[in-house]
Amino acid sequence: MRTLTDDEFTEAVGTGNVLVEFRADWCGPCRMLEPVLAEIDRERDDLTVVKVDTDASPRTARDQQIMSAPTLQLYKDGELVAQTVGARPKIHLLAWLEPHL
């Protein structure tokens, strides 16, 4: 999974289905979620999974109104179509994603 910076965010979510994890290194649930998201990224050809470190990219976190970590946002061709907060098991994440893909 690629980590986006403030300067890369808009372009990275502009095309296709992109799942963004807003995270922080100090966040325990974020660390638990990372292998699940990496697995989804490997398994799904119709989805790109990326992450944004809210401490390293505060402008993007502010612009996206991120208040908690982890926050997941799903973009379709640059448009935010879904958001959820907190770590979830893989089966729940896939169920949350499916209606939007």
Side-chain angles (χ1 to χ4, degrees):
M1 288 184 344
R2 183 173 139 212
T3 301
L4 302 178
T5 65
D6 282 335
D7 295 331
E8 299 169 319
F9 181 79
T10 301
E11 183 177 339
V13 300
T15 304
N17 298 316
V18 182
L19 178 61
V20 182
E21 178 200 16
F22 289 90
R23 64 173 328 280
D25 288 340
W26 48 262
C27 170
C30 299
R31 289 192 303 272
M32 290 172 37
L33 190 57
E34 189 161 357
V36 173
L37 293 174
E39 189 174 312
I40 291 171
D41 189 38
R42 284 190 306 272
E43 293 174 351
R44 301 289 300 245
D45 292 334
D46 61 340
L47 181 68
T48 301
V49 182
V50 296
K51 54 189 173 179
V52 173
D53 182 324
T54 58
D55 292 329
S57 297
R59 185 178 71 217
T60 300
R62 179 200 66 219
D63 292 349
Q64 300 307 310
Q65 300 177 350
I66 303 303
M67 300 296 173
S68 297
T71 294
L72 299 174
Q73 291 186 335
L74 178 63
Y75 290 84
K76 273 187 109 154
D77 296 325
E79 181 181 339
L80 177 63
V81 295
Q83 177 173 306
T84 189
V85 176
R88 304 213 183 329
K90 181 181 176 185
I91 193 164
H92 292 173
L93 286 177
L94 293 174
W96 171 74
L97 286 169
E98 207 54 47
H100 307 289
L101 297 177

